[in-house]
């Protein structure tokens, strides 16, 4: 069956995906005896659209899943979406304001607003689902999960209750990252640091000078802090008091000595505002005599303590406050060029105002977690699994980033003041003299109980992703079952956990990867995954980060799929994409990989045409006793690729595997084998076998075009996606003869180009080689492919005067130039080649003359360098001999 002249991806992709899905191949079997291979897909926002970050993730994970499925694993790739609490609530509130004219959506009440959000999510989820399908993702849709599913909510509540009982979750007053715009606090890792130029003020504070960029927080400052070893302040003792004129009159201030102060910053002393600064809060925790007082309310306005400035926005008050202090003679200096980082909420982009609030926290330092028979803290477990290599991070250098976060980990604030998300499973009832509290997976019986209004941090639920998605949803409906029961009775959890690889962007190593380790080791006593594979960011051609705020920098993956096909997009994001490194992507690159899919299509069309011409209806059997040198060569190459690509994908060298197959198809198969085997040399059985295995090997990378070609292969009745990974044929194939033929053709082509021999002109060639017969077997191919009109092959001979010369694999090749080129130019070329070779040989000789290199380098490396030196010296001698003949 012949292929159309051109491959048009749009005509095939949707239909092919539908066939895959309907065949049931995506669906994993928990009862299978096959070894498991599991990936939990990082869940995109349920109301979002596919962007390049998702696309690269999907391509890499699909390649791994398809490869392991072919290798005989029971491969499960779990899809799902995230409720993205803050982002989703913001979108719906804005929508209600803009489209329905509701000025204050929260006035609708909690239940009505949450219903609106649920309705919006339900109407949006199909968008991202279909876009994931467009990428060719072979995930198990029957197991799709959503972070707000009832079964996942049950697991969220179970974890909260168990951690509370273990003393790991507590409620307390701590400094939090408060967003006055969104009226909620956010976690440390959701805070962006943005550089800002702002005035830096130095004020007189009694006998001291203090510096600040935020004078509006200083109304209640009655503590001045300095480093205990700062010689400038040695006359002041810890606990000394003094009177100072300040914003609203005279105050009595106290001296505190603390090592947290940087003597090199500003004047080396500072007043502190514990309510609105995390460092100041920590200092307060160490010194009982310090009290905290709120200066700024939760709307970003100054409180009563600010006196005449009360009720003002902090930015409005700042200038007026500085003016007042200047009038009082307390302004010492202003640095207008001060640059510092301000904290921004990455979700809503509002400026963070640290506040002390009563919130729910996870204690990361309490040693109550049973891990490997020892009581550890959550932080210690998170350190242990990486230190002991229970979990491998690729690339390894990101372990340093991981430990930077974990070693400095603070207690995790898990409560949020928004309505969309998992409600905190705590209820309160006020009695006459006390407040009763109930923590449980279900509401307590009786009247008068009110549930905590806060919701949990989105990362709390997504941190359970690798295992909560594997719990039997039916079991979660039975409140009598404990966490242990749910784990032990869920077939998917037993079969598929721990998962095998977490493939995600390096930018969320702490946001998500570390939190999954924290939650999973606590809940299941297992690691969540064996390997963390971190891909880099996709950048523009110029290396800029792609940003929604700058549409010109963005590439819409769906536009690219529509234009060039999913396969081209996948290959463009895989080749050159090495772990942990950013890569540049632009439309021309994607278009270039469409050329690759076209190359495969056209080569297949050519081969299928041969099958049709010969009336081939079934897969032919190779006669290994009657193979041409080219047949032997391509079969040997194929055996090598089968083993190399398998090893590369198993070891997560995905880009290398893709490049390997790209070169094998384009160079070895198309450019050489198909050309060398044209005409009478064609072996349909070898052509079929090699093309068949190329399609299987390329299928994980470019699944659509390979599946369509496969459907046209004679005798193939089952889809390509069902095929096992190829095995080598177990035979030793001689490749030397064809390698030499290819090297000779390349050399002649290169010399023709270097000497400006016109393409239309045929040239005489003289070859001196030890194995004359081997070269003569391919005489016709050499003459045809190198445009040779007369080929002379001898064991040895006289020097050829006025000829271009080259040496490959010990074979001397000459093109007499008298009637073809400018001899003076050729002489200049040889002199340049000789100079380059002499430098090359000098470098190799120096390396091999270095005793440390020879002693310490592996033997095969040293032997390789010696072989290079020998070949270089041989080539140099031939070139010098040729030059002397001019």
């Amino acid at each position: 069956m012949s292929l159309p002249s051109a491959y048009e991806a749009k005509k095939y992709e949707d239909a092919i995906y539908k066939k895959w899905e309907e065949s049931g191949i995506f669906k994993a079997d928990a009862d299978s005896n096959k070894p498991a291979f599991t990936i939990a897909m990082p869940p995109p926002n349920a109301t979002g659209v596919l962007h390049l970050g998702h696309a690269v993730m999907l391509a890499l994970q699909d390649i791994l899943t398809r490869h392991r499925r072919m290798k005989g694993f029971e491969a499960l790739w779990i899809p799902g979406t995230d409720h993205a609490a803050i982002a989703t609530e913001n979108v719906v509130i804005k929508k209600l304001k803009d489209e329905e004219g509701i000025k204050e959506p929260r006035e609708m009440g909690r239940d009505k607003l949450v219903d609106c959000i649920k309705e919006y999510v339900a109407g949006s989820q199909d968008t991202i689902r279909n876009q994931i399908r467009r990428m060719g993702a072979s995930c198990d849709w029957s197991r799709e999960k959503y972070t707000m599913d009832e079964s996942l909510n049950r697991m969220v509540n179970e974890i909260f209750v168990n951690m509370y009982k273990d003393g790991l979750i507590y409620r307390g007053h701590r400094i939090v990252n408060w967003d006055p715009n969104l009226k909620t606090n956010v976690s440390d890792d959701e805070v962006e640091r943005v550089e800002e130029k702002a005035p830096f003020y130095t004020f007189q504070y009694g006998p001291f000078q203090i510096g600040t960029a935020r004078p509006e927080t200083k109304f209640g400052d009655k503590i001045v802090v300095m480093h205990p070893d700062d010689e400038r302040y040695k006359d002041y003792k810890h606990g000394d008091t003094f009177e100072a004129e300040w914003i609203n009159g005279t105050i009595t201030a106290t001296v505190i000595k603390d090592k947290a102060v940087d003597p090199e910053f500003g004047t080396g002393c500072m007043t502190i505002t514990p309510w609105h600064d995390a460092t100041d809060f920590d200092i307060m925790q160490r010194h009982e005599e310090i009290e905290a007082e709120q200066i700024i309310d939760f709307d970003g306005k100054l409180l009563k303590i600010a006196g005449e400035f009360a009720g003002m926005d902090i930015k409005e008050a700042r200038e007026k406050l500085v003016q007042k202090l200047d009038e009082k003679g307390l302004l010492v200096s202003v640095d207008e060029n001060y640059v510092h980082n301000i904290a921004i909420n990455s979700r809503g982009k509002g400026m963070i105002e640290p506040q002390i609030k009563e919130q729910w926290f996870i204690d990361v330092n309490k040693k109550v977690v049973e891990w490997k028979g020892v009581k550890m803290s959550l932080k210690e477990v998170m350190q242990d699994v990486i230190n002991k290599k229970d979990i491998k991070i690729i690339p390894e250098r990101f372990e340093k980033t991981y430990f930077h976060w974990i070693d400095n980990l603070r207690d995790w604030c898990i409560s949020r003041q928004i309505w969309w998300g998992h409600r905190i499973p705590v209820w309160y009832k006020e009695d006459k003299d006390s407040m009763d509290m109930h923590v449980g997976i279900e509401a307590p019986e009786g009247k008068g109980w009110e549930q905590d209004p806060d919701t949990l941090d989105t990362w709390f639920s997504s941190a359970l992703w690798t295992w909560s998605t594997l719990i039997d949803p039916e079991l979660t409906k039975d409140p009598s079952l404990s966490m242990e029961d749910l784990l032990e009775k869920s077939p998917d959890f037993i079969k598929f956990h721990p998962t095998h690889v977490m493939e995600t962007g390096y930018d969320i190593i702490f946001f998500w990867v570390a939190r999954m380790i924290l939650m999973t080791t606590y809940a299941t006593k297992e690691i969540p995954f064996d390997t963390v594979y971190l891909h880099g960011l996709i950048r523009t051609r110029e290396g800029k980060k792609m940003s929604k705020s700058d549409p010109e920098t963005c590439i819409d993956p769906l536009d690219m799929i529509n234009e060039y096909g999913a396969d081209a997009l996948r290959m463009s994001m895989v080749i050159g994409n090495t772990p942990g490194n950013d890569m540049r992507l632009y439309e021309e690159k994607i278009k270039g990989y469409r050329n690759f899919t076209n190359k495969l299509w056209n080569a297949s069309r050519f081969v299928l045409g041969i099958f049709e011409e010969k009336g081939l209806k079934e897969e032919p059997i190779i006669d290994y006793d009657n193979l041409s040198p080219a047949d032997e060569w391509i079969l040997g190459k194929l055996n090598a690729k089968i083993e190399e690509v398998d090893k590369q994908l198993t070891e997560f060298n995905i880009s290398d595997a893709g490049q390997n197959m790209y070169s094998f198809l384009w160079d070895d198969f198309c450019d050489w084998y198909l050309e060398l085997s044209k005409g009478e040399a064609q072996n349909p059985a070898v052509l079929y076998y090699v093309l068949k295995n190329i399609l299987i090997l390329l299928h994980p990378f470019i699944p659509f075009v390979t599946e369509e070609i496969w459907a046209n292969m004679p005798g193939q009745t089952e889809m390509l996606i069902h095929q096992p990974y190829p095995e080598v044929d177990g035979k030793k194939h001689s490749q030397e003869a064809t390698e030499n033929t290819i090297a000779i053709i390349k050399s002649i082509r290169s010399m023709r180009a270097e000497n400006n021999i016109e393409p239309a002109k045929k040239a005489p060639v003289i070859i001196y080689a030890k194995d004359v017969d081997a070269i003569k077997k391919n005489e016709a191919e050499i003459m045809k492919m190198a445009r040779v009109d007369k080929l002379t092959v001898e064991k040895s001979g006289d020097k050829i005067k006025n000829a271009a010369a080259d040496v490959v694999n010990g074979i001397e090749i000459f093109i007499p130039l008298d009637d073809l080129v400018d001899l003076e130019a050729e002489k200049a070329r040889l002199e340049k080649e000789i100079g380059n070779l002499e430098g090359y040989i000098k470098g190799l000789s120096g390396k091999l003359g270095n005793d440390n290199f020879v002693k310490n380098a592996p033997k095969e490396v040293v032997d390789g360098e010696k072989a290079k030196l020998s070949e270089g010296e041989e080539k140099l001698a031939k070139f010098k001999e040729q030059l002397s003949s001019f």
Side-chain angles (χ1 to χ4, degrees), residues 730-741:
K731 301 183 186 301
K732 191 169 183 179
H733 297 285
S734 173
Q735 296 180 276
E736 185 179 0
T738 301
E739 288 287 356
N740 285 338
T741 299

Side-chain angles (χ1 to χ4, degrees), residues 632-799:
E632 292 277 7
W633 177 77
I634 196 67
L635 290 172
K637 283 279 188 180
L638 176 61
N639 280 342
K641 296 306 166 191
I642 288 170
E643 292 182 330
E644 288 167 12
V645 170
D646 182 33
K647 186 173 187 289
Q648 287 164 336
L649 290 178
T650 300
E651 295 176 354
F652 305 104
N653 295 317
I654 304 170
S655 173
D656 290 348
Q659 184 62 59
N660 210 345
M661 283 309 302
Y662 182 100
S663 298
F664 181 62
L665 171 75
W666 198 293
D667 300 334
D668 298 339
F669 185 66
C670 295
D671 287 358
W672 292 112
Y673 180 67
L674 290 184
E675 291 299 321
L676 289 169
S677 62
K678 277 183 177 176
E680 292 180 7
Q682 282 174 353
N683 187 328
V686 173
L687 279 169
Y688 189 103
Y689 178 79
V690 176
L691 178 59
K692 167 189 167 181
N693 285 293
I694 283 174
L695 294 174
I696 296 172
L697 290 169
L698 277 172
H699 183 68
F701 300 92
I702 48 174
F704 289 109
V705 67
T706 50
E707 189 71 75
E708 183 58 29
I709 295 168
W710 182 269
N712 289 274
M713 292 282 282
Q716 296 299 339
T717 56
E718 193 176 41
M719 284 191 294
L720 174 56
I721 196 173
H722 291 276
Q723 302 307 307
Y725 191 83
E727 294 182 4
V728 297
D729 63 14
K731 301 183 186 301
K732 191 169 183 179
H733 297 285
S734 173
Q735 296 180 276
E736 185 179 0
T738 301
E739 288 287 356
N740 285 338
T741 299
I742 291 170
I744 290 167
I745 294 169
K746 284 182 175 178
S747 173
I748 296 170
R749 287 174 174 175
S750 176
M751 285 191 285
R752 288 179 63 104
E754 287 169 357
N755 290 282
N756 296 317
I757 299 173
E758 293 176 16
K761 270 188 183 179
K762 289 190 175 182
V765 172
I766 299 162
I767 294 176
Y768 297 152
K770 291 176 183 176
D771 193 344
V772 172
D773 292 340
I775 293 173
K776 283 192 170 182
K777 278 183 182 178
N778 292 307
E779 184 175 358
E781 286 78 10
I782 293 170
M783 292 183 72
K784 178 182 67 174
M785 296 177 70
R787 296 198 60 75
V788 175
D789 57 0
K790 182 183 178 183
L791 181 63
T792 304
V793 186
E794 305 285 352
K795 279 201 171 185
S796 60
D798 296 332
K799 290 187 296 183

Side-chain angles (χ1 to χ4, degrees), residues 458-568:
T458 298
W459 297 106
F460 188 101
S461 53
S462 58
L464 317 183
W465 188 247
T466 66
W467 60 271
S468 62
T469 52
L470 298 171
I471 302 301
D472 187 338
E474 288 302 312
L475 294 176
T476 62
K477 295 175 184 176
D478 183 351
S480 70
L481 295 176
S482 67
M483 167 74 78
E484 290 71 23
D485 294 333
L486 292 169
L487 295 173
E488 290 171 5
K489 293 176 183 289
S490 295
D492 279 1
F493 176 79
I494 295 165
K495 175 73 176 178
F496 296 110
H497 202 270
T499 63
H500 294 83
V501 59
M502 171 49 61
E503 191 287 324
T504 189
Y506 68 66
D507 51 331
I508 60 170
I509 188 171
F510 182 70
F511 278 81
W512 194 39
V513 172
R515 299 206 188 287
M516 283 189 283
I517 293 172
L518 181 155
M519 287 298 207
T520 306
T521 51
Y522 169 77
T524 71
K525 308 307 177 212
E526 295 180 345
I527 54 174
F529 27 70
D530 300 323
T531 302
V532 177
Y533 180 103
L534 300 169
H535 67 251
L537 302 177
I538 304 293
R539 296 188 178 274
T540 66
R541 184 202 303 272
E542 294 77 25
K544 291 182 183 177
K545 186 176 179 180
M546 292 189 183
S547 170
K548 291 178 189 174
S549 61
D550 186 1
E552 288 187 4
T553 67
C554 290
I555 292 176
D556 184 335
L558 296 170
D559 288 347
M560 297 300 101
I561 290 172
N562 290 334
E563 185 68 26
Y564 304 112
D567 291 328

Side-chain angles (χ1 to χ4, degrees), residues 204-210 221-226 236-237 239-245 250-256 269-271:
Q204 195 67 41
Y205 187 82
F208 304 100
Q209 290 184 353
I210 60 161
D221 287 9
K222 295 178 182 177
I223 301 291
V224 63
V225 190
M226 58 213 64
Y236 298 93
K237 303 292 186 290
D240 283 356
T241 59
F242 61 91
E243 286 195 346
E245 181 62 24
T250 304
I251 60 167
T252 300
T254 304
V255 173
I256 295 291
C269 69
M270 63 183 192
T271 58

Side-chain angles (χ1 to χ4, degrees), residues 18-45:
K18 187 180 179 186
K19 285 180 184 177
W20 288 335
E21 202 170 345
E22 289 174 350
S23 77
I25 188 66
F26 298 169
K27 191 171 181 179
D29 181 4
D31 297 324
S32 163
N33 291 323
K34 297 177 183 178
F37 176 78
T38 319
I39 296 179
M41 180 189 293
N45 186 335

Side-chain angles (χ1 to χ4, degrees), residues 63 77 80 129 181 263 304 306 318 353 372 385 431 444 593 606 621 624 644 648 687 708 720 776 784:
I63 289 167
W77 185 15
R129 288 186 186 119
N181 288 352
K304 190 176 179 181
R318 184 179 299 168
E353 184 58 66
K372 298 180 181 178
V385 295
D431 287 337
Y593 284 102
F606 170 74
I621 297 171
Y624 285 99
E644 288 167 12
Q648 287 164 336
L687 279 169
E708 183 58 29
L720 174 56
K776 283 192 170 182
K784 178 182 67 174

